[in-house]
Amino acid sequence: MADKSQNVNKGKIAETIAFDFLKSKGYEILELNWRFKRAEIDLIAREGNFLVFIEVKSRSNNDFGKPESSVGQKKKSMLTAGATSYMDMIDYDKDFRFDIISITLRSETDFNIEHFPDAFFPGL
């Protein structure tokens, strides 16, 4: 079983991969690891007219399910709270969405990435 420091390092590698992936797709990255109380939003970006809040999930393999399957209701609620705070802070009231980037990370150069735009919409 991996220790916490290995998991943190893999998470940082996955965030770097996601950052590079989004930049290559034309996203403008606004924030990396933006925090609000206990919530952390991995990436905040702009794509066209959308403000995009991105959760990056990674695993070494898919033996226990794909990475995106670990984004549960509690995490969605925390992301929503963080996104609301961020939009209030910048006085933003236009289009936004929540994306998930799922990375199966065998090494820094051997990985599979999947992007799920508009992965969920917060309950109002």
Side-chain angles (χ1 to χ4, degrees):
M1 187 166 163
D3 69 25
K4 185 174 174 122
S5 65
Q6 286 176 315
N7 288 338
V8 168
N9 189 43
K10 282 184 180 183
K12 295 299 177 197
I13 292 168
E15 288 172 358
T16 299
I17 291 168
F19 181 98
D20 293 343
F21 173 82
L22 292 169
K23 291 281 286 183
S24 76
K25 299 290 183 190
Y27 285 65
E28 177 190 358
I29 307 299
L30 304 174
E31 303 282 348
L32 179 63
N33 301 119
W34 189 82
R35 290 191 167 278
F36 169 73
K37 296 184 181 177
R38 293 185 54 223
E40 179 183 304
I41 300 173
D42 294 326
L43 295 163
I44 301 174
R46 187 175 307 279
E47 187 210 19
N49 294 329
F50 280 86
L51 187 61
V52 187
F53 300 94
I54 302 131
E55 175 67 8
V56 179
K57 297 306 277 185
S58 65
R59 291 189 176 165
S60 298
N61 59 57
N62 293 329
D63 292 350
F64 298 103
K66 291 189 172 190
E68 69 272 13
S69 67
S70 66
V71 181
Q73 192 54 50
K74 182 177 180 181
K75 183 64 174 181
K76 290 176 185 177
S77 294
M78 289 180 75
L79 289 168
T80 300
T84 300
S85 175
Y86 185 81
M87 289 187 288
D88 287 347
M89 181 183 81
I90 66 168
D91 196 27
Y92 185 86
D93 66 354
K94 296 180 179 83
D95 294 326
F96 67 95
R97 69 173 199 249
F98 294 89
D99 291 8
I100 296 174
I101 300 246
S102 172
I103 301 173
T104 304
L105 181 64
R106 291 169 286 286
S107 74
E108 288 185 51
T109 57
D110 182 15
F111 58 87
N112 182 55
I113 186 167
E114 290 183 84
H115 182 199
F116 299 94
D118 211 9
F120 69 92
F121 191 80
L124 301 175

